[in-house]
Amino acid sequence: MNVLAKPADLADAAPAGVFVEEVKTVQHYTDRLFRFRMTRPSSFRFRSGEFVMIGLMIDGKPLYRAYSIASPAWDEELEFFSIKVPDGPLTSHLQKIQPGDAVLMKKKPTGTLVNDALVPGKRVYMFSTGTGIAPFASLIRDPDTYEKFDQVILTHTCREVAELKYGEDLVQETLNDPLIGEFAKDKLIHYTSVTREDFPRKGRITDLIQSGKLFADLGVPPLDPAIDRGMICGSMDMLRDTKALLEEAGLTEGANNKPAEFVVERAFVG
């Protein structure tokens, strides 16, 4: 299988209207997860929490998948957090990229996990599983998030403890950041759980919401549509079940053109 991953090769082969960007750094967390950063086109604008189509040229054809942009809107580079699927049409190749390689990126970002899609509130929950933390990696590094909410609760549930590492690094980097740290230090809470290994907090986030353990651990009251807001990103089952729990609590799903109490991102990587 022929994969073009060098800037010079892609510059000639890339479709019109597509950015060709260079990979700057790659970090592998586990045999299933990695992140990479790449150059950002000077003309590219997006809202923190949005996703974009990125891809590679494989056997003469561009292959794209939707990826949440994990870097905030102010960052000079673009960051992505990805799964590795051994037989995945794109990720089986993308996981092999190195600094200096090139990635295709379509020009139009989109998505529902943006601050504009939520009505004002006191507290925002960012519910994530696995690589679903990526859009929240963008949002917790955006000053607008802390201007809009008094409390920002990032939940991250993974199968194994090692898969929490990206989120742990991310939160530490955010708190230590000279620009964002000042906003985040009194408002950002990171709540992790694991489903398949021993860990202080074990269980699916939906079970922790239903049992009330999430709220007891955080020392906050149960979900209240008057003050609580939610954002959900993860597996299809998690999206469905978490959405049902928020609706049961009286929260209404919103969108870019109709802000409300919670939003769901249904674009995912395969």
Side-chain angles (χ1 to χ4, degrees):
M1 191 166 281
N2 181 25
V3 180
L4 294 181
K6 294 301 175 187
D9 298 333
L10 274 175
D12 295 332
V18 172
F19 294 119
V20 177
E21 298 305 314
E22 183 180 342
V23 175
K24 304 302 285 183
T25 60
V26 182
Q27 182 176 1
H28 294 270
Y29 284 91
T30 69
D31 59 359
R32 294 186 67 251
L33 299 169
F34 72 108
R35 77 162 160 179
F36 64 96
R37 291 177 68 85
M38 68 185 199
T39 53
R40 175 179 177 173
S42 58
S43 63
F44 184 67
R45 300 285 180 269
F46 70 97
R47 294 178 296 170
S48 295
E50 289 189 315
F51 68 88
V52 71
M53 304 299 289
I54 64 172
L56 296 171
M57 188 71 71
I58 301 172
D59 288 338
K61 296 179 181 177
L63 180 63
Y64 301 97
R65 290 290 185 271
Y67 271 80
S68 290
I69 304 168
S71 45
W74 54 263
D75 202 325
E76 293 179 359
E77 293 182 340
L78 297 173
E79 180 179 316
F80 298 93
F81 184 44
S82 178
I83 55 173
K84 305 176 188 179
V85 182
D87 55 353
L90 177 62
T91 55
S92 62
H93 303 290
L94 193 65
Q95 65 184 279
K96 298 171 185 172
I97 57 172
Q98 302 287 333
D101 287 347
V103 172
L104 298 172
M105 184 175 78
K106 292 191 177 182
K107 294 190 173 183
K108 186 170 172 50
T110 188
T112 55
L113 296 182
V114 293
N115 285 322
D116 293 346
L118 293 176
V119 292
K122 176 183 176 183
R123 184 183 298 116
V124 62
Y125 288 90
M126 299 175 176
F127 297 110
S128 69
T129 56
T131 54
I133 195 175
F136 305 137
S138 176
L139 284 160
I140 69 166
R141 290 184 276 187
D142 192 317
D144 288 349
T145 302
Y146 301 101
E147 287 178 13
K148 189 161 185 173
F149 299 102
D150 295 335
Q151 219 172 21
V152 178
I153 300 170
L154 171 64
T155 84
H156 191 207
T157 300
C158 294
R159 297 186 303 181
E160 299 164 5
V161 176
E163 295 174 344
L164 297 173
K165 177 68 172 158
Y166 173 77
E168 292 166 348
D169 288 352
L170 164 72
V171 168
Q172 208 50 54
E173 288 168 15
T174 301
L175 294 172
N176 293 335
D177 187 277
L179 173 67
I180 302 301
E182 204 59 32
F183 295 96
K185 66 177 183 180
D186 297 322
K187 293 189 173 186
L188 177 61
I189 297 171
H190 186 208
Y191 185 90
T192 53
S193 66
V194 166
T195 58
R196 295 192 183 177
E197 290 185 331
D198 286 335
F199 193 67
R201 287 179 299 276
K202 191 169 182 184
R204 300 179 186 279
I205 189 62
T206 45
D207 294 335
L208 297 170
I209 294 171
Q210 261 182 317
S211 69
K213 180 171 170 55
L214 170 67
F215 311 110
D217 287 347
L218 295 172
V220 299
L223 292 169
D224 178 352
I227 58 171
D228 290 323
R229 305 294 171 255
M231 294 178 158
I232 311 170
C233 192
S235 68
M236 295 307 288
D237 287 348
M238 177 267 193
L239 298 183
R240 182 194 64 233
D241 295 345
T242 310
K243 168 181 154 75
L245 288 172
L246 266 58
E247 288 178 333
E248 197 177 294
L251 282 71
T252 304
E253 184 173 358
N256 278 287
N257 59 356
K258 192 181 179 184
E261 287 86 44
F262 77 92
V263 285
V264 180
E265 186 55 82
R266 293 179 174 84
F268 59 96
V269 177

